[in-house]
Amino acid sequence: MNEIKHHTINSPNTKSIWKILESIPDPEVPVLSIIDLGIVRDVKINNEEFEVIITPTYSGCPAMDMIKMNIRMVLLEHGFQNIKITSVLSPAWTTDWMSEAGKQKLKAFGIAPPTAKQQVCHTELFHDGEAIQCPRCNSYNTRLISQFGSTACKALYQCNDCKEPFDYFKCH
Amino acid sequence: MNELINYTLQLADNSLILGHRNSEWTGHGPILEQDIAISNIVLDLIGQARNFYQYAAVLINNSTNQQFNQSTTEDTLAYLRNENEFKNCLLVEQPNGDWAKTILRQFFFSAYQFYLYQHLQNSNDETIAAIAEKSLKEVTYHLRWSSEWIIRLGDGTEESNSRMQKAIDDLWMYTDEFFEASSYELFAANEGFGAGVSLLKKDWMKKVKDVFDEATLSVPAELKQQIKWFGKEGKHSEHLGYILTEMQFLQREYPNSIW
Ligand SMILES: [Zn+2]
């Protein structure tokens, strides 16, 4: 696991930027803030410039452009003028970076949070890996319908007990 | 520098053209879940292409090479290059055919990308390594999904098996191009920023054989046709021109339009 500085505080200003970023939702899963999602890598102040360093979730995630725009807008609203948003690919984002609070919010929203152990990203065929808990009735008796769901970050499951289909925020 | 640019463009072109081909299924998939699945794969592929094009644009703009003008962007690379400037391999431009053929094309390509990106994660070019590392996780999903479909169809009904086998007979001849190095790939492997493509063949073959065995499918004994041209060097089949015509139409007809 690479060390991720979730709250680098260099001065009151970076601290206030981190605070502001907590208010920006992920456009596709709006119960999560971009901080919950773990995509904000660092906040820096270089002279008069405020730099926010983010890591994309998926290469083709259409939300990334919107997230960048929202960061810029919200910071402008709070009086920050000179804003730079930098995308860094490496180390690659992983669902391990999602905060515990974020996982709880996901579940309350009806999306099964990523499991703690990364068991899904392997090439073993027809293998469901670790059981995924139904976010509605908490049963582990669930089955995978499709590895690809409504957005790049989700897989489709169905609960065998309460019969409800649900999204699972898949390990990445 | 030219080789690095060409190498990066080739990685981008492969993902873009296959992404575009697969996108032709969006709204036409055999069932909703699989329509969504292939469209998700499209997003991943085009996302990878964008990362590589953005890097290529930086390299081109920083170089003194006058072959390109100085305001290259990811969009000019995708929308304003001609057929003979695209470096994708022939496989990815082949028409979708039926679901079996599309699945097989994806499987051949994902298996290739899977081993390629494993090598490129250790590229001495930081950006290529970073994009490969990021993309590999996505490719793992693509490989697993396409492998499972090969098995499902091959070991399915008589019809699904014969369609799968026909797809193999049609596409097998394009797979050798993966492992025949172009001049810039040779250079890239020597310099350490690219992978030695001939070295990937063993792993790729093993993966294909394992999946085909389980799917009760077989590799053709001989090639349907000997391919004499080479997409990596800009020599394409007739299909690429049609793809570009559709993909580039808007920017060619209405330059710089945005939406
Ligand atoms: Zn349930």
Side-chain angles (χ1 to χ4, degrees), chain B residues 170-197:
Chain B
D170 287 346
L171 293 181
W172 185 252
M173 59 186 177
Y174 296 107
T175 59
D176 239 15
E177 189 183 354
F178 291 151
F179 313 109
E180 279 181 44
S182 60
S183 56
Y184 53 84
E185 283 173 311
L186 281 177
F187 184 91
N190 280 333
E191 293 292 309
F193 64 81
V197 285

Side-chain angles (χ1 to χ4, degrees), chain A residues 59, chain B residues 3-21 41-60 72-79 81 85-89 92-93 109 112-113 116-117 120 127-128 131-132 135 139 184-185 193 231-232 236 240 243-244 247-248:
Chain A
S59 302
Chain B
E3 282 85 358
L4 179 56
I5 292 170
N6 285 337
Y7 192 77
T8 306
L9 283 174
Q10 181 225 191
L11 295 169
D13 290 343
N14 273 333
S15 292
L16 179 69
I17 299 301
L18 186 58
H20 185 87
R21 267 299 187 218
I41 292 173
V42 168
L43 274 180
D44 291 339
L45 287 170
I46 292 179
Q48 293 167 18
R50 286 190 62 187
N51 284 330
F52 284 122
Y53 282 134
Q54 284 165 10
Y55 182 46
V58 170
L59 294 171
I60 290 167
T72 300
T73 66
E74 54 175 321
D75 286 336
T76 64
L77 290 170
Y79 293 129
R81 278 182 310 145
E85 294 170 286
F86 272 77
K87 293 164 179 46
N88 58 279
C89 57
V92 298
E93 69 198 40
F109 185 73
Y112 166 70
Q113 267 196 327
L116 175 67
Y117 285 170
L120 292 183
T127 308
I128 289 179
I131 300 171
S135 307
V139 171
Y184 53 84
E185 283 173 311
F193 64 81
K232 291 174 176 181
H236 293 279
L240 183 65
I243 295 174
L244 296 185
M247 193 178 78
Q248 298 182 334

Side-chain angles (χ1 to χ4, degrees), chain A residues 56-57 59 93 126-127 149 171, chain B residues 40 134 137-138 141 144 148:
Chain A
T57 49
S59 302
W93 177 83
F126 299 109
H127 187 269
C171 282
Chain B
N40 266 291
K134 168 122 215 90
K137 296 204 261 184
E138 296 155 6
Y141 276 103
R144 186 177 155 175
E148 289 178 351

Side-chain angles (χ1 to χ4, degrees), chain A residues 34-46:
Chain A
I34 58 173
I35 301 293
D36 291 327
L37 201 54
I39 61 171
V40 180
R41 183 76 61 84
D42 207 352
V43 174
K44 287 180 184 165
I45 299 177
N46 322 306

Side-chain angles (χ1 to χ4, degrees), chain A residues 55-60 62 65 89-94 120-128 144-152 156 170-172, chain B residues 33-34 36-37 40-41 43-44 46-48 50-51 114 127 130-131 133-135 137-138 140-145 147-149 151-152 207 211 214:
Chain A
T55 300
T57 49
Y58 287 73
S59 302
D65 288 337
L89 289 174
S90 179
W93 177 83
T94 132
V120 186
C121 309
H122 57 66
T123 53
E124 208 175 319
L125 307 178
F126 299 109
H127 187 269
D128 278 4
L144 172 70
I145 293 175
S146 174
Q147 291 281 5
F148 298 92
S150 55
T151 63
L156 264 179
K170 65 189 178 193
C171 282
H172 201 68
Chain B
E33 284 79 5
Q34 299 312 321
I36 292 171
N40 266 291
I41 292 173
L43 274 180
D44 291 339
I46 292 179
Q48 293 167 18
R50 286 190 62 187
N51 284 330
F114 184 73
T127 308
I131 300 171
E133 182 199 347
K134 168 122 215 90
S135 307
K137 296 204 261 184
E138 296 155 6
T140 307
Y141 276 103
H142 306 170
L143 179 57
R144 186 177 155 175
W145 175 83
S147 303
E148 289 178 351
W149 267 103
I151 294 164
R152 206 174 276 130
K207 181 78 197 168
V211 171
E214 208 176 329

Side-chain angles (χ1 to χ4, degrees), chain B residues 37-238:
Chain B
I38 197 150
S39 301
N40 266 291
I41 292 173
V42 168
L43 274 180
D44 291 339
L45 287 170
I46 292 179
Q48 293 167 18
R50 286 190 62 187
N51 284 330
F52 284 122
Y53 282 134
Q54 284 165 10
Y55 182 46
V58 170
L59 294 171
I60 290 167
N61 289 330
N62 287 345
S63 80
T64 51
N65 191 334
Q66 292 305 307
Q67 184 188 346
F68 304 100
N69 73 39
Q70 293 298 299
S71 55
T72 300
T73 66
E74 54 175 321
D75 286 336
T76 64
L77 290 170
Y79 293 129
L80 300 178
R81 278 182 310 145
N82 293 326
E83 206 180 322
N84 59 6
E85 294 170 286
F86 272 77
K87 293 164 179 46
N88 58 279
C89 57
L90 297 170
L91 177 80
V92 298
E93 69 198 40
Q94 297 310 306
N96 288 346
D98 57 10
W99 187 245
K101 193 171 177 185
T102 294
I103 291 295
L104 182 72
R105 188 183 57 197
Q106 187 63 48
F107 170 64
F108 283 159
F109 185 73
S110 294
Y112 166 70
Q113 267 196 327
F114 184 73
Y115 298 112
L116 175 67
Y117 285 170
Q118 280 184 356
H119 280 256
L120 292 183
Q121 285 187 111
N122 304 314
S123 166
N124 61 16
D125 183 289
E126 270 177 30
T127 308
I128 289 179
I131 300 171
E133 182 199 347
K134 168 122 215 90
S135 307
L136 184 58
K137 296 204 261 184
E138 296 155 6
V139 171
T140 307
Y141 276 103
H142 306 170
L143 179 57
R144 186 177 155 175
W145 175 83
S146 54
S147 303
E148 289 178 351
W149 267 103
I150 300 272
I151 294 164
R152 206 174 276 130
L153 294 175
D155 195 16
T157 64
E158 205 174 303
E159 184 182 354
S160 69
N161 176 280
S162 71
R163 287 214 202 185
M164 210 61 240
Q165 193 62 56
K166 185 181 179 311
I168 296 170
D169 295 341
D170 287 346
L171 293 181
W172 185 252
M173 59 186 177
Y174 296 107
T175 59
D176 239 15
E177 189 183 354
F178 291 151
F179 313 109
E180 279 181 44
S182 60
S183 56
Y184 53 84
E185 283 173 311
L186 281 177
F187 184 91
N190 280 333
E191 293 292 309
F193 64 81
V197 285
S198 60
L199 304 175
L200 306 174
K201 188 168 182 173
K202 208 177 132 218
D203 286 335
W204 185 88
M205 274 301 243
K206 184 176 183 318
K207 181 78 197 168
V208 169
K209 287 242 164 78
D210 287 350
V211 171
F212 278 13
D213 280 350
E214 208 176 329
T216 68
L217 296 164
S218 52
V219 167
E222 56 189 65
L223 297 183
K224 198 171 172 181
Q225 186 191 336
Q226 198 69 41
I227 305 289
K228 294 184 199 72
W229 56 96
F230 207 40
K232 291 174 176 181
E233 305 272 18
K235 298 189 183 68
H236 293 279
S237 61
E238 63 174 315

